[in-house]
Amino acid sequence: MSNPTEPNEVPEAARADGQTRPERRLGRGHRLLGRVGRVVCRLPHPSLHSKRGLFVLFLLMGGFGSLAMAGAVMAVHYTETSSFCGRCHTMGPELKAYAMSPHKELTCAECHVAPGVSGWVKAKANGTKQLIEVLTNSYPRPIPPPEHARLPSVKDTCLRCHSLDNITKNGGPVKLVLRLRYRPDERNTREMVVVVLRPAGLGQVPGDGVVRGVHWHVQEKVSYASADIRAQRIDLVEVLGSDGAVRQYLAGSQVGTSGDVTADIARIEWSERRRVMDCIDCHNRVGHAIPSTEQAIDESIASGRISADLPFIKRDGLALLSANYPSAAAASTAIDGLRERYRARFPLVLQRSGAKVSEAIEELKRDYLRVATPQMRVQARTYPDNLGHLVSPGCFRCHDGAHYLVVKGKLTDRTIPSTCATCHTFPEVGATVSGLLVGGQPESHNRKDFVFSHKGLVASVNPVGTSCGTCHVRTYCANCHNSGAIKVKHDVMLYRHSASVRESGVQPCAYCHNPSYCATCHEKPVLPVRPP
């Protein structure tokens, strides 16, 4: 007699209902799988006990395995693209900047993931951490840029496409930088800014006769120490010469006693991060550069999307785009208020050029979305760009004239070169551009105070008929002399420059200096955001 609790036995109540098959206890998914299996078994196929049947089974398993592997590879490849990475709403600012960068054709993994299995595992582990932060809403706002130490070596990223020999040979290639900008005055006065990044900017290093250009920093071994994880303040710089000697430059802010800075250097070396300089130290935003508010507006005016005929449109646009808004909708509402400003101050302009005002408002809204992402607390100034020194310290982190050479433990008055000619020609700013000097320059120009002392060598701003006329024309001189910069009393600037600024105004100062220069001493520079 069988046990009524055995699995194959059907209870009496079930028999009464006509349920005589125990398979009906299975779930819907199991029943569907069973039906599919029965259909497959009915298909004509060789017996699995034969060689032919085993061969067919091998082919089927191999085919399905290949498809599964191909799908896995495609899935992994997709996770390394900007389309996948950018779908996370936390990466909105980075994705927008990436779409405007010269590297927009590359995948994220080509710059952010080291080659090999270990690099892939680290990247996926970091991605899992980020996923958890998104699910728990605990991610930082704004997203901090990656630490340089955690990025792949530049040998596996930058130097895969860019040849170090091509960018350092004979000082490097000549590059002409020319752009339009507009003053924040009523007429939105148009100006041109031109500099030439040229070879031999740093001249020849004594002892080896090799020409050094801007990329000398990666051509030789240069290291630095910084307490700031983003290296926006550099306290110690070391240069290893070809003769094996090490030259140290100490920031003046870190000096205790100039007669013996050994203890200061030891403190920095023990407490701060050390790093060998490479491409990323200057090109830190090369894949995610966000244009400054001034650059964005200048580009819109130059392209005609914002009319330069609208009074103070540059000044008011800067104020609107630089403000801190809680949301994009709030920013849009504030920018819409530009129409009321014109109605109150320039009613005739609004009456005659209402369409231009509307176009300017819509373009300013687009510019704001380019430079800011309020939900992530990101603005144009959120991420410092070290390439240059226009809107952040950049080059001035070291080339500020305040990093002094240390010799036998003592501070000297020799500093890291910081003149305009160190890396480029003296900026030419004005309504016209002419007489750009690309080659070498006379010995007299090497004097640190030549910009101010050359008035003793010439009688007027017209270089025709003088030795200056060999390289310069009248407009070259007039662009500087008409700026008002020559009226600044530089002989009293060190201790009384606040009074001098009040007398001459900040605009003349902005032709040679910018906020990052003033920020070496002042927390809140008074200069407008205007490149030299």
Side-chain angles (χ1 to χ4, degrees):
M1 187 174 182
S2 62
N3 191 335
T5 62
E6 290 182 0
N8 292 330
E9 192 70 15
V10 180
E12 293 293 333
R15 289 196 189 98
D17 294 336
Q19 298 178 1
T20 59
R21 300 182 63 181
E23 294 81 22
R24 299 182 68 87
R25 292 183 181 179
L26 297 177
R28 183 176 299 176
H30 290 81
R31 292 198 301 272
L32 178 61
L33 184 62
R35 292 193 185 101
V36 172
R38 287 192 293 273
V39 170
V40 171
C41 290
R42 293 192 185 100
L43 296 176
H45 63 277
S47 173
L48 297 180
H49 297 289
S50 64
K51 292 182 178 181
R52 184 180 178 185
L54 292 175
F55 179 70
V56 172
L57 179 63
F58 174 77
L59 290 179
L60 291 175
M61 293 180 62
F64 283 117
S66 299
L67 290 175
M69 183 176 294
V73 171
M74 292 176 64
V76 170
H77 177 71
Y78 176 66
T79 62
E80 297 176 347
T81 63
S82 60
S83 177
F84 174 83
C85 299
R87 289 182 183 277
C88 174
H89 63 278
T90 65
M91 290 296 168
E94 287 73 18
L95 185 62
K96 287 191 295 186
Y98 163 82
M100 295 183 287
S101 79
H103 291 130
K104 60 185 177 182
E105 301 300 329
L106 302 179
T107 63
C108 303
E110 290 182 78
C111 295
H112 288 273
V113 180
V117 176
S118 61
W120 184 85
V121 171
K122 290 180 181 178
K124 297 311 171 186
N126 187 43
T128 303
K129 175 188 173 183
Q130 295 175 9
L131 177 60
I132 294 174
E133 290 177 344
V134 171
L135 294 176
T136 58
N137 196 29
S138 60
Y139 53 85
R141 300 173 178 86
I143 298 295
E147 296 181 35
H148 288 176
R150 296 187 178 182
L151 289 172
S153 169
V154 295
K155 295 180 180 178
D156 298 321
T157 54
C158 308
L159 298 183
R160 289 175 55 194
C161 301
H162 303 279
S163 169
L164 189 60
D165 292 336
N166 290 341
I167 62 177
T168 59
K169 187 177 181 180
N170 295 324
V174 175
K175 182 178 181 180
L176 174 66
V177 179
L178 185 152
R179 75 176 185 87
L180 293 175
R181 76 176 188 191
Y182 299 82
R183 292 188 188 182
D185 55 18
E186 182 175 353
R187 298 178 58 188
N188 307 299
T189 304
R190 177 181 179 272
E191 292 181 331
M192 298 186 73
V193 182
V194 182
V195 295
V196 176
L197 302 178
R198 58 186 180 185
L202 298 175
Q204 293 184 346
V205 176
D208 60 11
V210 178
V211 177
R212 303 301 190 203
V214 177
H215 289 96
W216 168 83
H217 301 81
V218 294
Q219 193 174 10
E220 300 293 337
K221 186 174 182 180
V222 181
S223 61
Y224 65 85
S226 176
D228 178 10
I229 194 172
R230 307 301 169 204
Q232 292 303 298
R233 193 195 76 197
I234 294 177
D235 295 327
L236 180 67
V237 179
E238 291 186 351
V239 181
L240 178 62
S242 56
D243 56 356
V246 177
R247 299 193 302 277
Q248 292 182 316
Y249 295 87
L250 181 63
S253 60
Q254 300 299 311
V255 176
T257 303
S258 60
D260 187 2
V261 295
T262 305
D264 298 316
I265 293 176
R267 170 180 52 81
I268 292 173
E269 291 179 338
W270 178 80
S271 62
E272 297 187 0
R273 296 170 178 261
R274 295 289 300 273
R275 174 174 168 80
V276 176
M277 188 171 286
D278 59 24
C279 311
I280 303 175
D281 286 292
C282 295
H283 299 270
N284 64 317
R285 303 298 300 172
V286 68
H288 303 283
I290 298 176
S292 67
T293 52
E294 183 172 21
Q295 181 183 357
I297 294 177
D298 284 341
E299 290 176 354
S300 295
I301 297 177
S303 64
R305 295 190 297 270
I306 294 179
S307 174
D309 297 331
L310 299 177
F312 291 111
I313 188 63
K314 172 66 180 292
R315 185 195 66 181
D316 293 345
L318 272 176
L320 287 169
L321 265 60
S322 301
N324 189 15
Y325 302 105
S327 65
S332 179
T333 301
I335 296 173
D336 281 331
L338 186 63
R339 184 184 303 278
E340 295 305 317
R341 294 189 190 184
Y342 278 105
R343 191 186 309 278
R345 294 182 301 173
F346 303 98
L348 291 180
V349 172
L350 184 61
Q351 180 180 351
R352 297 171 182 173
S353 305
K356 292 183 179 180
V357 174
S358 299
E359 292 172 0
I361 289 174
E362 295 305 315
E363 181 63 16
L364 286 173
K365 290 179 180 180
R366 287 189 288 268
D367 284 340
Y368 178 78
L369 295 178
R370 289 171 58 201
V371 303
T373 308
Q375 64 269 26
M376 289 303 297
R377 302 173 188 171
V378 171
Q379 292 180 309
R381 59 180 178 270
T382 300
Y383 299 112
D385 191 341
N386 296 335
L387 189 62
H389 49 80
L390 300 183
V391 293
S392 57
C395 307
F396 287 160
R397 294 176 301 158
C398 300
H399 296 268
D400 58 350
H403 283 70
Y404 300 93
L405 178 66
V406 177
V407 177
K408 296 181 179 179
K410 296 182 179 181
L411 214 63
T412 68
D413 61 352
R414 295 174 56 190
T415 63
I416 296 176
S418 57
T419 63
C420 290
T422 300
C423 299
H424 55 74
T425 58
F426 191 85
E428 187 172 351
V429 181
T432 59
V433 173
S434 59
L436 284 175
L437 181 63
V438 178
Q441 58 186 6
E443 185 65 27
S444 61
H445 289 52
N446 294 329
R447 292 177 54 178
K448 293 183 178 180
D449 62 344
F450 182 75
V451 173
F452 309 107
S453 64
H454 71 277
K455 61 184 178 181
L457 303 177
V458 294
S460 70
V461 294
N462 188 359
V464 178
T466 68
S467 59
C468 302
T470 305
C471 301
H472 304 293
V473 295
R474 184 183 181 89
T475 55
Y476 182 87
C477 305
N479 282 336
C480 181
H481 281 257
N482 292 338
S483 69
I486 62 171
K487 298 178 182 179
V488 179
K489 299 176 181 179
H490 288 82
D491 54 344
V492 296
M493 287 295 285
L494 182 59
Y495 300 107
R496 295 187 60 251
H497 67 280
S498 59
S500 182
V501 167
R502 284 196 297 270
E503 294 174 5
S504 61
V506 297
Q507 195 60 45
C509 304
Y511 273 82
C512 295
H513 305 290
N514 56 57
S516 61
Y517 178 85
C518 302
T520 57
C521 296
H522 298 278
E523 291 185 2
K524 296 181 178 180
V526 296
L527 293 183
V529 182
R530 289 175 59 79

PDB file of all heavy atoms in Angstrom, residues 247-260:
ATOM      1  N   ARG A 247      67.261  71.287  -9.673  1.00  0.00           N
ATOM      2  CA  ARG A 247      66.988  72.674  -9.313  1.00  0.00           C
ATOM      3  C   ARG A 247      65.620  72.742  -8.641  1.00  0.00           C
ATOM      4  O   ARG A 247      64.629  72.242  -9.191  1.00  0.00           O
ATOM      5  CB  ARG A 247      67.005  73.574 -10.557  1.00  0.00           C
ATOM      6  CG  ARG A 247      68.335  73.589 -11.277  1.00  0.00           C
ATOM      7  CD  ARG A 247      68.395  74.732 -12.297  1.00  0.00           C
ATOM      8  NE  ARG A 247      67.338  74.675 -13.284  1.00  0.00           N
ATOM      9  CZ  ARG A 247      67.386  73.932 -14.380  1.00  0.00           C
ATOM     10  NH1 ARG A 247      68.446  73.141 -14.615  1.00  0.00           N
ATOM     11  NH2 ARG A 247      66.394  73.943 -15.256  1.00  0.00           N
ATOM     12  N   GLN A 248      65.587  73.368  -7.477  1.00  0.00           N
ATOM     13  CA  GLN A 248      64.356  73.484  -6.711  1.00  0.00           C
ATOM     14  C   GLN A 248      63.873  74.934  -6.687  1.00  0.00           C
ATOM     15  O   GLN A 248      64.675  75.850  -6.506  1.00  0.00           O
ATOM     16  CB  GLN A 248      64.556  72.987  -5.273  1.00  0.00           C
ATOM     17  CG  GLN A 248      64.800  71.492  -5.148  1.00  0.00           C
ATOM     18  CD  GLN A 248      64.942  71.074  -3.695  1.00  0.00           C
ATOM     19  OE1 GLN A 248      65.623  71.732  -2.917  1.00  0.00           O
ATOM     20  NE2 GLN A 248      64.311  69.970  -3.325  1.00  0.00           N
ATOM     21  N   TYR A 249      62.555  75.097  -6.850  1.00  0.00           N
ATOM     22  CA  TYR A 249      61.931  76.417  -6.781  1.00  0.00           C
ATOM     23  C   TYR A 249      60.839  76.353  -5.715  1.00  0.00           C
ATOM     24  O   TYR A 249      59.902  75.550  -5.825  1.00  0.00           O
ATOM     25  CB  TYR A 249      61.339  76.827  -8.124  1.00  0.00           C
ATOM     26  CG  TYR A 249      62.376  77.018  -9.207  1.00  0.00           C
ATOM     27  CD1 TYR A 249      62.803  75.948  -9.994  1.00  0.00           C
ATOM     28  CD2 TYR A 249      62.922  78.271  -9.461  1.00  0.00           C
ATOM     29  CE1 TYR A 249      63.744  76.120 -10.993  1.00  0.00           C
ATOM     30  CE2 TYR A 249      63.867  78.461 -10.459  1.00  0.00           C
ATOM     31  CZ  TYR A 249      64.272  77.377 -11.221  1.00  0.00           C
ATOM     32  OH  TYR A 249      65.211  77.549 -12.203  1.00  0.00           O
ATOM     33  N   LEU A 250      60.957  77.190  -4.721  1.00  0.00           N
ATOM     34  CA  LEU A 250      60.027  77.183  -3.597  1.00  0.00           C
ATOM     35  C   LEU A 250      59.092  78.389  -3.681  1.00  0.00           C
ATOM     36  O   LEU A 250      59.528  79.512  -3.960  1.00  0.00           O
ATOM     37  CB  LEU A 250      60.809  77.227  -2.276  1.00  0.00           C
ATOM     38  CG  LEU A 250      59.991  77.208  -0.986  1.00  0.00           C
ATOM     39  CD1 LEU A 250      59.213  75.906  -0.857  1.00  0.00           C
ATOM     40  CD2 LEU A 250      60.909  77.403   0.224  1.00  0.00           C
ATOM     41  N   ALA A 251      57.807  78.159  -3.446  1.00  0.00           N
ATOM     42  CA  ALA A 251      56.830  79.249  -3.452  1.00  0.00           C
ATOM     43  C   ALA A 251      57.100  80.196  -2.296  1.00  0.00           C
ATOM     44  O   ALA A 251      57.356  79.753  -1.162  1.00  0.00           O
ATOM     45  CB  ALA A 251      55.417  78.687  -3.362  1.00  0.00           C
ATOM     46  N   GLY A 252      57.044  81.488  -2.564  1.00  0.00           N
ATOM     47  CA  GLY A 252      57.316  82.467  -1.526  1.00  0.00           C
ATOM     48  C   GLY A 252      56.382  82.361  -0.341  1.00  0.00           C
ATOM     49  O   GLY A 252      56.769  82.660   0.797  1.00  0.00           O
ATOM     50  N   SER A 253      55.152  81.904  -0.567  1.00  0.00           N
ATOM     51  CA  SER A 253      54.186  81.780   0.528  1.00  0.00           C
ATOM     52  C   SER A 253      54.562  80.686   1.518  1.00  0.00           C
ATOM     53  O   SER A 253      54.001  80.636   2.622  1.00  0.00           O
ATOM     54  CB  SER A 253      52.793  81.496  -0.040  1.00  0.00           C
ATOM     55  OG  SER A 253      52.791  80.282  -0.791  1.00  0.00           O
ATOM     56  N   GLN A 254      55.490  79.813   1.147  1.00  0.00           N
ATOM     57  CA  GLN A 254      55.881  78.704   2.007  1.00  0.00           C
ATOM     58  C   GLN A 254      57.203  78.944   2.725  1.00  0.00           C
ATOM     59  O   GLN A 254      57.704  78.050   3.413  1.00  0.00           O
ATOM     60  CB  GLN A 254      55.987  77.420   1.170  1.00  0.00           C
ATOM     61  CG  GLN A 254      54.713  77.012   0.484  1.00  0.00           C
ATOM     62  CD  GLN A 254      53.601  76.733   1.463  1.00  0.00           C
ATOM     63  OE1 GLN A 254      53.785  76.006   2.437  1.00  0.00           O
ATOM     64  NE2 GLN A 254      52.424  77.307   1.211  1.00  0.00           N
ATOM     65  N   VAL A 255      57.763  80.137   2.566  1.00  0.00           N
ATOM     66  CA  VAL A 255      59.077  80.437   3.146  1.00  0.00           C
ATOM     67  C   VAL A 255      58.926  80.884   4.592  1.00  0.00           C
ATOM     68  O   VAL A 255      58.140  81.799   4.889  1.00  0.00           O
ATOM     69  CB  VAL A 255      59.805  81.526   2.325  1.00  0.00           C
ATOM     70  CG1 VAL A 255      61.123  81.890   2.987  1.00  0.00           C
ATOM     71  CG2 VAL A 255      60.030  81.038   0.910  1.00  0.00           C
ATOM     72  N   GLY A 256      59.695  80.235   5.482  1.00  0.00           N
ATOM     73  CA  GLY A 256      59.753  80.666   6.866  1.00  0.00           C
ATOM     74  C   GLY A 256      60.864  81.672   7.058  1.00  0.00           C
ATOM     75  O   GLY A 256      60.641  82.826   7.408  1.00  0.00           O
ATOM     76  N   THR A 257      62.089  81.225   6.775  1.00  0.00           N
ATOM     77  CA  THR A 257      63.276  82.087   6.843  1.00  0.00           C
ATOM     78  C   THR A 257      64.063  81.910   5.570  1.00  0.00           C
ATOM     79  O   THR A 257      64.482  80.788   5.251  1.00  0.00           O
ATOM     80  CB  THR A 257      64.156  81.735   8.055  1.00  0.00           C
ATOM     81  OG1 THR A 257      63.361  81.837   9.246  1.00  0.00           O
ATOM     82  CG2 THR A 257      65.336  82.679   8.169  1.00  0.00           C
ATOM     83  N   SER A 258      64.270  82.997   4.818  1.00  0.00           N
ATOM     84  CA  SER A 258      64.928  82.885   3.523  1.00  0.00           C
ATOM     85  C   SER A 258      66.375  82.428   3.641  1.00  0.00           C
ATOM     86  O   SER A 258      66.936  81.887   2.702  1.00  0.00           O
ATOM     87  CB  SER A 258      64.867  84.228   2.786  1.00  0.00           C
ATOM     88  OG  SER A 258      65.515  85.232   3.532  1.00  0.00           O
ATOM     89  N   GLY A 259      66.978  82.652   4.796  1.00  0.00           N
ATOM     90  CA  GLY A 259      68.366  82.243   4.972  1.00  0.00           C
ATOM     91  C   GLY A 259      68.550  80.737   5.015  1.00  0.00           C
ATOM     92  O   GLY A 259      69.635  80.231   4.712  1.00  0.00           O
ATOM     93  N   ASP A 260      67.500  80.001   5.366  1.00  0.00           N
ATOM     94  CA  ASP A 260      67.575  78.538   5.397  1.00  0.00           C
ATOM     95  C   ASP A 260      66.166  77.976   5.232  1.00  0.00           C
ATOM     96  O   ASP A 260      65.362  78.005   6.169  1.00  0.00           O
ATOM     97  CB  ASP A 260      68.183  78.057   6.715  1.00  0.00           C
ATOM     98  CG  ASP A 260      68.427  76.553   6.712  1.00  0.00           C
ATOM     99  OD1 ASP A 260      68.158  75.899   5.682  1.00  0.00           O
ATOM    100  OD2 ASP A 260      68.888  76.025   7.746  1.00  0.00           O
TER     101      ASP A 260
END
